[in-house]
Amino acid sequence: MTALTRVLDRFKVPGDLWGGFASMLVALPASVGFGVTVYSAISPQYAVFGALAGILGATALGLIAPTFGGTDRLISAPCAPAAAVLSAFAIELVHQGTAPASIVLLLTVMGMLTGMIQMFIGFMGAGRLIKYIPYTVVSGYLSGVGLIIVGSQIPHFVGASSDLHWWRALTSPETWDGRSLIVGGATVGAAFVALRGKRTIPATIVGILAGLLAYVLLARNDPTMRTLENNPLVLGALGATGEGYLQTITSRWTDIGELRLSQIAALLGSALTLAALLSIDTLKTCVVIDQMTRTRHEPNRELLAQGLANIASSAVGGMPGAGTMGATMVNLSSGAQTRVSGVIEGVLALLAALLLSQFIAWVPVATLAGILIVVGLRMIDTKPLRFLESRATVFDFAVVLVVVACALTVGLIAASATGVALSILLFVREQVGGSVVRHKTFVSQRSSTWYRPEDEMRLIAQQGDRAVIFELQGSLFFGTTYELYTLLEPELKTRDYVILDLRRVQSVDITAANMLGNARDLLRERGKLLLLSHVREQLPNGRNLREFLIQTGLIEPDVPVPALLGAQAPEPQGTVRVFKDLPAAIEWVEDRIVSQIVRPQDSQAALTLQEMQMFKDHRDDTMADLEASLQQRSFKAGETIYAIGDQVPELFLIRSGEVRITAPIAASRQVHHIATYGRGDFFGGMSFLDELARSENAIAQTDIELFALSLEQYVRLSENHKKLSLLLMTAISRTLAQRLRHADGERTLLHA
């Protein structure tokens, strides 16, 4: 099945038919105007060829782009950026003394090169990159092109010679033709009135009809306006089926074969500029369609189709173009549903040119100039004026202003490059202005996922300020390096451990890596350590952070992989420690702080009930009754004690070993480490109290010995030993309250 067959299979009548017809009424006159703009820059005698180039461009683009493209409702036709670049190129060649026939030939080759570059961009998958051009650049570019279009049409609007510069024509009333002013003024006025109305008829059509009516009324009293010969006020005969035009196209192809490679290479810069502008114009229109229809376009496929259409259009002497906003919006509002509406627009453009060529010949030049002035004025983006209302955005307005100024004085490619460069500088400025330190805390204020005995917690609270924690965010690059080192330097000189959490870091450059190396060296001189957590293997920019830090010499290449897994990993060499996450780094520091607490030699032996912290200072006979209600259980390392969804409400007291509590992260295969409990602690209290299903997994991290108390056994115990049951519940509640208080304190600290 061919591409055209697939398109026809989706044909939606009557929406596509009316949409194609309405968009043709908008696109065809504008295409003719754009063609005249370009070719009249060569010589007034070439205006007719310009009109034909616009017609053929609207036809070729209308037929080919939607057939092979992937965006429904998109209308492709000659457009303002193409007219601006090509007319500027033609004017430059005229000033260089290039022969008119050679200029036409070079315009053809340039259009074909533009299409080839667009196809290459689409083939390489670079279409998605165009959407990253900053809004300030796009806004300034659109306004600059709009002003260029308005300026180029002023001589035609006032009836002056097209050789005059727009400023000269505007300031020389003696060169004006009152008839052109009346016709052009009627066109512009009617178009703007139509834009403010309900838009039952497109404003472009209303403006053209008003201009034609004004011309007819003037022609009643002026015989020179009723003839096509030597009448500078109208387009003149198009000759769409004349042998002269066909012969010109044929001879043009013959002449192309005689072009030197150096001449073609000289066109590449302008063709690249035009390809970029047309691609931006197309994809910008596609994005608007997506927003209005809740669809998604395929940028690379669309660029391939647009490039192919521009090659075909230029090959037959037509204007290159792009997906146009005005005609597309008319198409959409007229009920179009599929790409067939674009094909219909191309067919109707050709039929209108063939059947109505005599009518088009009488279209006043001032009318087309008026329409293009309206289009140019509407392209001027006034939204950036709001940027002046705030000091925070005044620099963004300056970028727009510089882009417009460069477009008017230097060129569009220079304007785009300047705008992107200034936007990058503004981005760097914003990054430098924001802090890369999200939080600064101490281990005494934070805790790992390890729930420790009270004596250890007291010691950590007393000495936890030996370790400072910096949670970093954003981009660590040359613009933020100085600020970060300024914050780190005092801590590097006084703390035993400096922890840098890289979880929220988006990118790291070589300057930042070198600064971290300096921080490591300063700690090394004091015999202290730098700890890094969340050293990911893939940052948002695609860089492998761990590999990058090894290449820059910050961490050793032979750091064992277990060192990335947590605090229980083997000790790596050097003065930098690398941990999977921040709790693992904090746990590692906590272990070193509490290592000064002397434990009995049998500290790993299984505890009796009376030896547990929560039951100290209670009578032995009471504990004997409680112990009689408990079951002793043992698990090997790695075995599951309970899993998510288990319904058995039990409380577990740890006699020896360690248990790890985990839960899966929602909508992810990753597992979150919630807590680790050790000898003398308990777990499973929440389900024991509320009798709901387990919401986490409990896995033995080492061989473990447990006391297990089921809810059923507790109820029996409470019937006979009310004081004992109250004692047990009080101990559980007190411990849970301490954990909750600590968690609330940390949460408040993190949100400060």
Side-chain angles (χ1 to χ4, degrees):
M1 182 181 291
T2 65
L4 181 58
T5 305
R6 289 196 297 270
V7 171
L8 292 176
D9 285 344
R10 301 179 60 201
F11 184 28
K12 305 292 184 182
V13 180
D16 286 336
L17 183 62
W18 284 114
F21 176 72
S23 58
M24 182 275 294
L25 294 177
V26 175
L28 183 59
S31 299
V32 171
F34 291 136
V36 171
T37 299
V38 175
Y39 281 79
S40 61
I42 303 173
S43 173
Q45 290 76 21
Y46 278 80
V48 173
F49 288 111
L52 288 168
I55 293 169
L56 292 173
T59 301
L61 290 166
L63 291 174
I64 296 175
T67 300
F68 296 96
T71 306
D72 290 330
R73 307 175 181 90
L74 179 67
I75 298 297
S76 298
C79 57
V85 173
L86 292 176
S87 60
F89 179 73
I91 292 171
E92 183 179 352
L93 291 178
V94 169
H95 291 163
Q96 293 175 0
T98 307
S102 298
I103 296 177
V104 172
L105 178 63
L106 293 174
L107 288 175
T108 301
V109 176
M110 183 174 167
M112 296 180 68
L113 286 175
T114 297
M116 293 177 185
I117 293 172
Q118 282 187 288
M119 293 188 70
F120 178 76
I121 293 173
F123 179 77
M124 295 301 293
R128 294 182 179 88
L129 299 179
I130 295 178
K131 65 184 179 183
Y132 295 113
I133 292 180
Y135 166 74
T136 50
V137 178
V138 175
S139 174
Y141 148 72
L142 289 175
S143 298
V145 170
L147 290 172
I148 290 173
I149 292 298
V150 171
S152 67
Q153 296 307 308
I154 286 177
H156 301 295
F157 184 84
V158 300
S161 172
S162 58
D163 295 334
L164 288 179
H165 187 270
W166 70 269
W167 178 251
R168 184 74 178 273
L170 191 63
T171 57
S172 303
E174 66 275 6
T175 64
W176 296 358
D177 189 321
R179 298 169 298 178
S180 287
L181 286 172
I182 293 173
V183 173
T187 301
V188 172
F192 274 117
V193 169
L195 286 172
R196 293 179 175 273
K198 295 183 179 180
R199 303 188 189 183
T200 305
I201 302 176
T204 302
I205 303 302
V206 173
I208 291 175
L209 292 176
L212 286 170
L213 179 61
Y215 186 88
V216 169
L217 293 176
L218 291 174
R220 293 175 60 185
N221 300 318
D222 189 343
T224 62
M225 297 176 66
R226 297 198 292 268
T227 178
L228 289 177
E229 284 190 33
N230 300 320
N231 185 352
L233 299 179
V234 296
L235 288 178
L238 300 182
T241 60
E243 295 181 0
Y245 181 74
L246 296 176
Q247 184 178 358
T248 300
I249 296 299
T250 304
S251 62
R252 188 180 306 179
W253 274 100
T254 303
D255 294 338
I256 286 178
E258 299 178 1
L259 282 176
R260 295 188 302 274
L261 186 61
S262 59
Q263 291 176 295
I264 297 177
L267 299 175
L268 283 176
S270 297
L272 183 61
T273 301
L274 183 56
L277 295 177
L278 295 183
S279 299
I280 293 170
D281 219 30
T282 297
L283 297 183
K284 176 171 62 70
T285 304
C286 290
V287 169
V288 173
I289 295 175
D290 290 347
Q291 293 174 347
M292 297 185 69
T293 61
R294 297 179 182 177
T295 56
R296 294 185 65 180
H297 72 283
E298 301 177 40
N300 294 316
R301 176 179 173 181
E302 198 59 54
L303 289 184
L304 285 168
Q306 292 288 328
L308 181 62
N310 280 328
I311 292 173
S313 175
S314 300
V316 298
M319 279 270 296
T324 57
M325 187 73 72
T328 298
M329 292 300 102
V330 170
N331 187 39
L332 182 63
S333 61
S334 300
Q337 298 293 320
T338 71
R339 290 177 283 151
V340 175
S341 57
V343 177
I344 292 174
E345 182 272 334
V347 172
L348 292 180
L350 181 60
L351 292 177
L354 293 175
L355 302 178
L356 303 176
S357 60
Q358 289 299 318
F359 169 76
I360 295 176
W362 284 99
V363 174
V365 173
T367 291
L368 291 178
I371 290 297
L372 291 175
I373 287 175
V374 172
V375 171
L377 291 175
R378 294 189 67 197
M379 287 181 67
I380 298 174
D381 189 3
T382 59
K383 293 179 183 178
L385 291 175
R386 301 175 184 174
F387 297 168
L388 292 172
E389 298 174 2
S390 171
R391 294 181 61 185
T393 55
V394 68
F395 285 105
D396 296 286
F397 177 79
V399 172
V400 176
L401 206 60
V402 169
V403 172
V404 173
C406 285
L408 296 177
T409 58
V410 182
L412 292 173
I413 189 169
S416 299
T418 303
V420 170
L422 289 176
S423 297
I424 292 174
L425 289 177
L426 284 182
F427 171 77
V428 172
R429 173 177 169 268
E430 290 295 325
Q431 292 294 311
V432 172
S435 176
V436 293
V437 176
R438 186 171 185 266
H439 283 119
K440 173 189 171 183
T441 53
F442 297 94
V443 168
S444 57
Q445 299 170 299
R446 302 284 298 273
S447 67
S448 64
T449 53
W450 184 277
Y451 285 91
R452 299 178 180 275
E454 289 186 15
D455 56 345
E456 293 185 0
M457 293 299 294
R458 283 195 298 269
L459 184 59
I460 291 171
Q462 293 170 2
Q463 300 187 19
D465 58 357
R466 291 165 54 192
V468 63
I469 303 168
F470 287 93
E471 294 180 67
L472 307 183
Q473 63 183 358
S475 298
L476 305 185
F477 71 114
F478 61 88
T480 57
T481 297
Y482 178 79
E483 178 230 353
L484 177 58
Y485 191 78
T486 301
L487 296 174
L488 286 176
E489 189 174 20
E491 311 299 337
L492 296 172
K493 296 177 179 179
T494 56
R495 309 297 171 185
D496 293 347
Y497 309 97
V498 175
I499 303 175
L500 301 182
D501 182 53
L502 308 179
R503 178 183 178 185
R504 294 178 176 83
V505 170
Q506 301 296 309
S507 63
V508 181
D509 74 353
I510 194 71
T511 305
N514 183 67
M515 180 275 295
L516 294 178
N518 293 336
R520 173 204 59 196
D521 295 341
L522 186 56
L523 287 169
R524 177 189 292 165
E525 292 174 0
R526 300 177 49 241
K528 307 305 179 182
L529 299 174
L530 176 65
L531 282 63
L532 303 177
S533 66
H534 279 106
V535 181
R536 292 165 289 172
E537 295 201 353
Q538 186 170 12
L539 293 174
N541 63 4
R543 170 171 282 175
N544 185 322
L545 181 56
R546 181 170 182 267
E547 184 178 287
F548 175 71
L549 295 182
I550 290 175
Q551 291 173 346
T552 55
L554 180 63
I555 60 179
E556 299 296 329
D558 57 349
V559 172
V561 174
L564 296 173
L565 300 180
Q568 302 302 319
E571 287 286 340
Q573 300 300 314
T575 54
V576 177
R577 301 291 188 270
V578 180
F579 298 91
K580 180 182 178 182
D581 52 33
L582 182 57
I586 295 175
E587 181 181 333
W588 188 89
V589 173
E590 289 176 346
D591 285 343
R592 272 120 200 96
I593 293 176
V594 302
S595 62
Q596 57 189 285
I597 297 179
V598 180
R599 298 293 184 189
Q601 294 295 325
D602 60 345
S603 61
Q604 298 304 316
L607 295 174
T608 62
L609 198 61
Q610 292 87 343
E611 291 175 327
M612 292 185 176
Q613 182 72 32
M614 59 191 301
F615 297 121
K616 285 185 176 180
D617 303 325
H618 293 292
R619 290 175 6 204
D620 290 344
D621 57 343
T622 304
M623 291 298 100
D625 291 337
L626 175 59
E627 190 167 0
S629 301
L630 301 176
Q631 295 181 359
Q632 294 190 26
R633 297 183 189 173
S634 62
F635 295 87
K636 295 293 183 182
E639 289 186 346
T640 299
I641 301 170
Y642 61 74
I644 294 175
D646 286 355
Q647 298 284 345
V648 181
E650 290 182 308
L651 179 71
F652 297 95
L653 308 174
I654 304 175
R655 303 182 63 208
S656 67
E658 301 167 7
V659 64
R660 186 180 178 91
I661 309 298
T662 65
I665 299 175
S668 172
R669 295 183 178 180
Q670 296 181 347
V671 175
H672 176 59
H673 178 202
I674 298 175
T676 300
Y677 299 104
R679 185 170 175 267
D681 215 328
F682 74 88
F683 63 95
M686 296 301 294
S687 293
F688 182 79
L689 294 176
D690 59 22
E691 301 183 50
L692 298 178
R694 300 288 185 184
S695 58
E696 71 280 329
N697 302 309
I699 301 173
Q701 185 160 303
T702 64
D703 292 348
I704 189 169
E705 297 286 338
L706 302 173
F707 282 131
L709 175 64
S710 67
L711 183 60
E712 182 181 355
Q713 288 290 341
Y714 173 76
V715 171
R716 292 176 184 173
L717 181 68
S718 62
E719 291 175 354
N720 301 320
H721 299 278
K722 290 183 171 53
K723 187 175 181 180
L724 179 59
S725 64
L726 178 62
L727 169 68
L728 178 61
M729 192 59 63
T730 301
I732 295 173
S733 300
R734 182 184 297 110
T735 303
L736 289 177
Q738 290 173 350
R739 294 175 183 174
L740 183 60
R741 184 188 299 275
H742 187 73
D744 285 343
E746 288 196 354
R747 186 183 64 177
T748 302
L749 179 67
L750 292 176
H751 286 80

